[in-house]
Each structure stands twice: as structure tokens, then as C-alpha cells.
Amino acid sequence: MRYSKFIGRSLREVPKEAEAVSHRLLLKAGYVDPLVAGVYTLLPLGWRVMHKIEEVIREEMEGIGGQEILMPALQKKEQWLESGRWDGPGEIDPPLFKFKDRRDRELALGPTHEEVVTDLARRFIASYKDLPLAVFQIQTKFRNEMRPTGGVLRTREFMMKDLYSFHANEEDLDRYYLEVLKAYERIFARCGLKVLVVSAHSGTIGGSESHEFMLPAESGEDKALYCEHCNFASNLQKSGELKSCPDCGQSVFTASAIEMGHIFKLGTIYSEKMKAYFVDSVGARKPLVMGCYGIGLARIMAAAIESKLGHDEHGIIWPKELTPFDVHLVSLEGGQDTAESLYDAMEKAGLEALYDDRDEPAGVKLTDADLIGIPVRVLVSKKSLAAGGVEVSSRSDGKAEVVPVEKLADKIKEVHER
Ligand SMILES: [Zn+2]
């Protein structure tokens, strides 16, 4: 794509209220644009990163047998009354975005889909032969937050992957829950994130056991308690009293952290309330045993920036899996013609290139390239051509070298791999 034609180019000024590093950089580099508090447009750069995250998540969910579906964002009151989460003491926290349609029928914008999916299950699952079953979606969710903060870390409208699983018994749920936990670890590792897996409270989602995936980061709103000597980690709310590790006895540390994902063993709480039964192998009627598993996509985008290797004083540094483009091609004075033909060749070869073809001074273009954070930069100028080709550099270590044009493809690959 040509940067000269881009909607959402970099900003010179960033709104003062942007405190988190990810918020500042995403605004400044033109990845997102705010509409009202906690609601953002994803501009081309941001939307491309979200697609990359989606690909990673989809692969891993399909790898553990998840079937992709898309449930509606609009949900019906009757199902939420069945689960007891519409209002009263069991009301979901934060409360739903509720409204009436023109026929005075009450609806809500879904923050989660236990009600909709349990209703599907009670109509489509009849026998133990239909089990286990897992469905997932990547869809827009709504949370009626009182105080959205931290840019894209806590928003009122956001993309989420939610997976729901159905089982004949607790043992099978335990087995699958562990498979999901491992798939989540792979997702975060592929996105370049070192997360802690912590046991957590189930909150208003409910259930017997839950784990959160937390990324230690200064801007995090949650607190994680962890041991440096073994794998023990917990949500501070859950284990706040602990002074030493319950597993190995060493002292424990606390850190601010961002909650990246949350998985729950729901058991039969929803299936009993909503009468979702199946017939087991001896003909008995039993409630379905359920699990639910969520990941926020924009949180991955923000957290990748918040993490130590995700930014420096000049801007964003994307990991290979999440970068919006493979290459940032920059033409400087005397390099325009070569850059044009290189851009055509990259398009034909299926290499995703952001091409800065603007008529701007070198300083502006290079500053923007650092800010946007694409891992490989290719610079074409009179100087580089005189030195024998184009200058290829890595955003992470800044190392640059001039390579002949015909060796460029191999060089780009090499920089991506290191
Ligand atoms: Zn320990």
C-alpha cells in the first residue's frame, strides 16, 4: 500500500490523556482513532494487525477441534432472565447495554455468549454421541464500563475470541480445559508475549475453576502474585494473603499485569438453569458440562507494544507474527524510480509492503518508519544506489547494510528470521 494514499497517517501531537505507552503509540502512528471514550476505529494499520492476531488464534482454536461460528451481537432478554444475569443479585458486572426496539421489545448488546450458546446446545446436542463439542467465534463484544481507561486495553466495544465447550462429564471437561490452556500458551508465545498463567476468581461468569493469562506490564490494572523459583502464579485478589509460595516455600512477588485471556470451567451452572440436557450411554438425562474461554484481540495488540521488546523511545517494534506489513519500503531523493519498480515486484511476489512514496524530507520518513515499527525497512536513495543497491535494516537492532537489488528478497527473509 502507498503511504501517500493512506487514511490514518502518523500524528505530530498526541492527546494528553493517553498515558499507556501502547495508547500513545497506537494513536501517534495512526493505528487507531478514538470516537468516544473507550470506542475506537481501527485504521488500516490497526486492522491489519488484528487480522494477524485473528489468524494465529483461528489456527490454534481449529487445532483443538473448535468449530467457528458467528453469534449475533444483539441478544434477547428472555435468555438472560433464564440464566439470572439480566438484573437482580446475579446481574452481570459491568451491567449490560440494554435498550428497546421500536416494538418495545428489550434487547442487549452481548458482552459474552453463554446464554446464546447454551440455547444452541440444548437444541442441537441430544446424546452423548454428539459430545464433546466445541464452538468458537471472533466477534465484537460490548461492555458497559463506567470508566474505560488505558486506550485499547479496556474499551466498551472490542473484538474477542470466545470458545465454548460441551462435555458428558467433568473428567472430559478437565481434559479439554488443559488442551485449551496449552493452546492459549501457544497463542501468546506466537504473539511474542511472555504471560503468567494464574489461577483466578470466576467473578460473575461463575464456575468451579478458572485461569487468567497475565502479562506483567506497568500499565496493567490487575495484580499478579508469582514465584520466581517455580511455576506458581496467582491473581492477587485470590491469594492476597500469601507471603511465601505454596508450592516451594520461597518468597513471592507482586507485579502489575494486563489480563490477556480468561478460561473457566463452568460445569453445569448454565445448562441446569437453561435446561440443556443430553442422554448418556445408559439412557439417563443429564445436564451438559461446559467450559468457556476468552481472549481480547486488541489487548494482544496493545500488550505486544507494552512488553519490553515491543517498543523503544522511537516507536513500536512488532514481532514477525503481528506486523501489519512485512516490509517498510522508503524512497528518498534519487531513489524514486528504483523504489517504484521494487514496490511492483514486491506486490507481484505477494510480499506485503508499506511503501512510503511521499514527497517528504528523509527525517520525516525515517521518524515515521521507526514509529510504525515494521520489522524490516528497505531504503532506496541516491546514496544507497551509489553504494551498490538498497539499504536493508532491522527495526529491532537498527543494523543496516546495503545489498544488491537481486539479493533483496533473501535479505528480507534473513532479517525476519533473526
Ligand atoms: Zn515457588
Side-chain angles (χ1 to χ4, degrees), residues 125-129 131 167-169 276-288:
I125 298 173
S127 135
Y128 71 97
K129 289 176 192 160
L131 297 169
H167 309 270
N169 53 52
Y277 295 100
F278 72 100
V279 176
D280 77 4
S281 56
V282 294
R285 225 167 140 256
K286 284 188 176 162
L288 289 162

Side-chain angles (χ1 to χ4, degrees), residues 11 22 25 28 38 100 105 122 135 231 244 251 345 353 377 404:
L11 308 175
S22 56
L25 291 175
K28 190 156 194 240
K100 285 183 179 167
R105 182 175 178 164
R122 71 183 164 188
V135 293
N231 277 331
S244 57
S251 47
R377 185 169 80 193

Side-chain angles (χ1 to χ4, degrees), residues 226-232 244-252:
Y226 65 99
C227 172
E228 283 188 335
H229 301 273
C230 69
N231 277 331
F232 172 78
S244 57
C245 173
D247 292 347
C248 75
Q250 302 278 354
S251 47
V252 285

Side-chain angles (χ1 to χ4, degrees), residues 46-334:
W47 188 229
R48 291 179 75 99
V49 173
M50 294 293 264
H51 279 308
K52 295 288 172 77
I53 297 169
E54 241 185 276
E55 275 171 43
V56 171
I57 292 177
R58 183 172 285 119
E59 264 178 45
E60 295 294 345
M61 290 299 102
E62 287 177 346
I64 55 169
Q67 301 176 36
E68 187 167 6
I69 60 172
L70 182 62
M71 291 180 273
L74 282 181
Q75 298 197 12
K76 62 196 239 190
K77 177 181 179 179
E78 292 76 7
Q79 289 180 349
W80 285 79
L81 287 174
E82 281 187 74
S83 72
R85 296 202 292 176
W86 180 264
D87 53 16
E91 184 176 4
I92 192 163
D93 177 34
L96 296 166
F97 274 112
K98 297 172 189 170
F99 60 95
K100 285 183 179 167
D101 67 12
R102 298 203 300 181
R103 296 200 295 196
D104 241 17
R105 182 175 178 164
E106 284 187 276
L107 296 164
L109 288 170
T112 181
H113 278 71
E114 283 79 14
E115 283 78 2
V116 179
V117 82
T118 305
D119 174 62
L120 282 176
R122 71 183 164 188
R123 289 181 295 112
F124 285 99
I125 298 173
S127 135
Y128 71 97
K129 289 176 192 160
D130 300 324
L131 297 169
L133 183 84
V135 293
F136 75 99
Q137 61 175 350
I138 296 171
Q139 186 238 25
T140 302
K141 298 267 192 277
F142 299 85
R143 272 174 74 105
N144 202 344
E145 293 278 0
M146 188 65 101
R147 212 174 45 84
T149 53
V152 304
L153 283 171
R154 185 174 290 277
T155 55
R156 297 192 291 172
E157 176 177 335
F158 55 94
M159 295 244 299
M160 187 168 142
K161 186 285 300 170
D162 41 337
L163 168 78
Y164 303 88
S165 69
F166 300 90
H167 309 270
N169 53 52
E170 297 282 344
E171 294 71 46
D172 196 55
L173 169 63
D174 291 349
R175 171 197 64 78
Y176 193 70
Y177 185 87
L178 202 61
E179 268 194 53
V180 179
L181 195 148
K182 286 181 181 151
Y184 269 42
E185 288 183 324
R186 287 194 297 273
I187 289 169
F188 294 121
R190 287 178 62 181
C191 294
L193 300 171
K194 277 194 181 152
V195 296
L196 298 168
V197 185
V198 311
S199 62
H201 271 303
S202 302
T204 48
I205 299 277
S208 63
E209 191 178 358
S210 88
H211 284 88
E212 284 172 334
F213 296 79
M214 296 180 102
L215 182 84
E218 268 175 45
S219 58
E221 290 185 323
D222 291 291
K223 288 257 187 292
L225 198 67
Y226 65 99
C227 172
E228 283 188 335
H229 301 273
C230 69
N231 277 331
F232 172 78
S234 177
N235 187 307
L236 190 65
Q237 278 178 312
K238 184 169 174 167
S239 308
E241 302 295 302
L242 283 182
K243 293 268 181 290
S244 57
C245 173
D247 292 347
C248 75
Q250 302 278 354
S251 47
V252 285
F253 300 86
T254 55
S256 295
I258 301 167
E259 184 199 320
M260 304 297 303
H262 204 158
I263 60 177
F264 303 82
K265 285 184 187 172
L266 297 174
T268 57
I269 44 175
Y270 289 89
S271 49
E272 280 178 26
K273 281 181 185 157
M274 295 183 69
K275 304 189 174 54
Y277 295 100
F278 72 100
V279 176
D280 77 4
S281 56
V282 294
R285 225 167 140 256
K286 284 188 176 162
L288 289 162
V289 179
M290 292 171 58
C292 77
Y293 321 86
I295 291 186
L297 276 72
R299 282 204 174 183
I300 292 187
M301 175 164 77
I305 298 171
E306 295 282 337
S307 71
K308 244 189 213 156
L309 299 174
H311 68 277
D312 62 16
E313 67 271 31
H314 305 296
I316 301 170
I317 306 170
W318 288 113
K320 188 176 66 176
E321 290 263 14
L322 303 191
T323 182
F325 289 93
D326 298 322
V327 179
H328 199 147
L329 176 64
V330 181
S331 67
L332 297 182
E333 213 192 334

